[in-house]
Amino acid sequence: MPQIHLDESTVERLDALRRDGEEYDEIVTELINIYEAEELALFRGSDVE
């Protein structure tokens, strides 16, 4: 697994999103899933005429 380094402000933003001791990898996975779903919706939306 690659390691990444986050600046303090990014860690603070992630901390604000954490619920019930949620791990950072869970938050990041959820954010990626949301991003991919929005990207897919935008892509499909451009196919509608």
Side-chain angles (χ1 to χ4, degrees), residues 27-38:
I27 297 170
V28 171
T29 299
E30 186 175 343
L31 291 171
I32 290 170
N33 289 338
I34 292 168
Y35 173 80
E36 288 176 343
E38 288 180 1

Side-chain angles (χ1 to χ4, degrees), residues 1 7 10 13-14 19 21 23 27 34-35 38-40 42-43 47-48:
M1 169 81 51
D7 62 30
T10 302
R13 291 174 70 187
L14 288 173
R19 295 181 304 239
E23 297 293 327
I27 297 170
I34 292 168
Y35 173 80
E38 288 180 1
E39 183 179 8
L40 182 59
L42 288 173
F43 177 74
D47 289 345
V48 177

